[in-house]
Amino acid sequence: MKKILLVEDDRQLSDLVTDFLTNEGFHVKQEFRGDTVAKRVEKFTPDLIILDIMLPGKDGFAVCRDIRPTFKGPILMLTAKGTDFDQVLGLEIGADDYVIKPVEPRVLLARVSALLRRGELPKEGNEKAELNIGSLYVNRSSRQVTLQNENIELTSQEFDLLWLLASRAGEVQNRDYIYKAVVGREYDGMDRSVDVRISRLRKKLHDSNETPFRIKTIWGQGYLFVPDAWS
């Protein structure tokens, strides 16, 4: 049974969402303040967090920023704040997805299920468990990444994105495939979450404005992992 921590200060809404997800087979715990989330995460060890933004004690952006270095599971922001700025900010500080309230229960369930599945990338029978590409080392089993012997901390979705690109180095991966494999749903032509994660991944891997990038954007097609840039 997957465990979900629901952080929502509207108690009526929180109860409704909790009842719905519980009936769908999840173990749900509720939290109503932002400044108590970190301790609850440590004790409950959820598989996924649904996080509101407007919270007493500490807002959802600050909560996400604080817990992301240690919490590796998916964070789904559930909020009434629907501007592009808010969505991009949430993704940049480590959220995995963003749902605007009010949301239909089945839509929320689909997003939750997609996030919990997103680590199950398509596998080929002969796919390796680890990659050594120049100074970059990626281990799929331990989800460890090092660059020039420096440990690189990635969120689960950032790791999945890196593995998808690195395991297919030298091949352009189109957006539709990336969204299905990493985000867990069809690309709608508007979602910027993968673009934001590519940007975060580049920063963490010390990518720069060299030509080409280590992770190169192929306009109109997708992204290309450049294997010889890591030597």
Side-chain angles (χ1 to χ4, degrees), residues 4 21 26 48 50 74-78 87 96-100 103-118 157 183-186 188 191 193:
I4 296 176
L21 292 177
F26 296 100
L48 178 144
I50 299 176
I75 297 175
L76 171 64
M77 284 193 159
L78 176 63
Q87 293 183 42
D96 294 281
D97 204 352
Y98 203 105
V99 174
I100 309 302
V103 58
E104 290 292 330
R106 290 291 168 184
V107 173
L108 178 61
L109 176 62
R111 294 292 186 92
V112 166
S113 299
L115 286 173
L116 291 171
R117 289 196 310 265
R118 86 267 182 272
Q157 205 164 71
V183 181
R185 63 176 185 270
E186 300 283 342
D188 62 7
D191 194 330
S193 60

Side-chain angles (χ1 to χ4, degrees), residues 113-125 127-129 131 138-141 143 155-168 173-185 194 201:
S113 299
L115 286 173
L116 291 171
R117 289 196 310 265
R118 86 267 182 272
E120 302 172 2
L121 295 178
K123 297 181 181 179
E124 299 174 2
E127 189 171 45
K128 297 180 179 179
L131 300 170
V138 187
N139 187 304
R140 186 170 190 174
S141 299
R143 303 181 79 81
T155 67
S156 291
Q157 205 164 71
E158 288 167 355
F159 180 91
D160 293 338
L161 179 56
L162 174 61
W163 181 270
L164 185 151
L165 296 172
S167 63
R168 296 159 178 80
Q173 304 302 314
N174 66 51
R175 290 174 181 273
D176 290 338
Y177 177 73
I178 292 173
Y179 272 83
K180 289 177 184 177
V182 178
V183 181
R185 63 176 185 270
V194 166
L201 199 53

Side-chain angles (χ1 to χ4, degrees), residues 18-61:
T18 297
D19 289 345
F20 173 75
L21 292 177
T22 299
N23 289 334
E24 293 296 328
F26 296 100
H27 180 198
V28 184
K29 291 286 189 181
Q30 295 170 286
E31 193 63 50
F32 305 103
R33 295 182 58 87
D35 52 1
T36 56
V37 172
K39 288 185 178 179
R40 177 59 73 91
V41 169
E42 184 178 352
K43 292 181 179 179
F44 183 50
T45 61
D47 297 293
L48 178 144
I49 297 173
I50 299 176
L51 179 63
D52 191 16
I53 287 182
M54 304 302 291
L55 294 166
K58 182 182 292 185
D59 69 58
F61 290 134

